[in-house]
Amino acid sequence: MPFPATDAPVTLDRREGPFGEVVLRSRGDGAEKVYEIIANGCFLMDTSDGRSERLLVDAAYRAIGTGNAAPRVLIGGLGVGFSLAHAAAMPSWRRIAVVEREQAIIDWHHDGPLAAISGRALGDPRCVILHTDLVSHLHSTADRYDALCLDIDNGPDWTVTEDNGALYSPAGLAACAAALEPGGVLAVWSAKPSPEFEEALRNAGFTGVRTEEIHLARGVPDVVHLAVRPA
């Protein structure tokens, strides 16, 4: 969605947290108003489209296959809420957990303008928000999921904070595999393909490694990296 050159962003909230600064701002007005999340000066996502976040969930669900009638999904990163809202609109998910480490983002969904996207999902008894760091959660949780849909960075090669790089390391990918049921699917959103990450997935023991493109209205396609924990 193009904005006029004079349409400067308006800062709605700015918080300093344990992982740096997060900012919620808006552009436009009325039905064309768009909300943006900025972390440590890096643009994360906005509400202008949502196709990419929805297709992340769809790609993971398709990869699970028809043998699992009631799968459980962990979404890494609440963001603007498109992935959560889309998963909650699908009756097939038995449990939908979302890990979000920034309290500010959780607040914007409960009591702020992003509630318009996620409000119905947050009232769904299948859904739970876990206020914790994704990497720490994966290393400590005893829960098991049929799909991990991870969207906490601009991709494995472009992390929001240095600590997030641990997610894509051998130890991080081993933790992802351990949090998956046999045959479970790891889906990782990225702003661009990463052959190096595909190789890292194979080295971590995942099978069926592939990359699906997400074609947007403008710009180069986003991608979803998909991999399966062997049964």
Side-chain angles (χ1 to χ4, degrees):
M1 178 184 298
F3 296 102
T6 57
D7 188 12
V10 176
T11 297
L12 304 177
D13 194 12
R14 184 188 303 272
R15 308 268 191 100
E16 192 70 32
F19 303 97
E21 181 187 72
V22 288
V23 177
L24 178 67
R25 63 189 194 184
S26 65
R27 288 180 179 270
D29 200 5
E32 295 186 347
K33 180 175 285 189
V34 171
Y35 297 99
E36 305 173 337
I37 295 178
I38 312 295
N40 295 315
C42 177
F43 173 84
L44 285 187
M45 57 186 65
D46 64 26
T47 59
S48 64
D49 192 334
R51 189 178 326 174
S52 189
E53 292 91 337
R54 297 182 187 103
L55 290 178
L56 170 67
V57 176
D58 288 340
Y61 183 74
R62 288 195 305 269
I64 293 172
T66 59
N68 191 333
R72 295 153 295 177
V73 60
L74 175 70
I75 298 173
L78 178 55
V80 296
F82 284 134
S83 294
L84 167 61
H86 188 61
M90 301 168 65
S92 46
W93 295 111
R94 185 196 338 170
R95 173 178 166 83
I96 303 164
V98 182
V99 171
E100 175 54 60
R101 69 184 186 179
E102 297 289 351
Q103 183 62 52
I105 294 179
I106 296 174
D107 292 345
W108 298 335
H109 283 273
H110 280 293
D111 304 310
L114 299 182
I117 296 173
S118 59
R120 180 175 296 182
L122 292 176
D124 190 318
R126 298 173 299 157
C127 299
V128 60
I129 305 296
L130 307 175
H131 180 206
T132 185
D133 176 67
L134 175 62
V135 177
S136 299
H137 178 70
L138 289 172
H139 281 284
S140 62
T141 185
D143 293 336
R144 296 294 176 264
Y145 300 91
D146 302 290
L148 303 181
C149 295
L150 308 187
D151 182 9
I152 64 169
D153 295 302
N154 286 320
D157 303 323
W158 186 3
T159 60
V160 175
T161 61
E162 186 175 344
D163 291 347
N164 283 0
L167 176 64
Y168 314 104
S169 69
L173 293 179
C176 288
L180 285 168
E181 294 285 4
V185 175
L186 173 63
V188 179
W189 183 91
S190 180
K192 63 179 182 179
S194 175
E196 294 80 10
F197 183 57
E198 287 189 350
E199 186 63 22
L201 288 167
R202 295 187 182 96
N203 291 338
F206 286 95
T207 61
V209 176
R210 67 185 190 278
T211 299
E212 291 190 8
E213 290 189 347
I214 300 174
H215 294 276
L216 305 177
R218 65 185 188 276
V220 298
D222 296 334
V223 302
V224 175
H225 294 287
L226 292 161
V228 177
R229 177 185 172 180

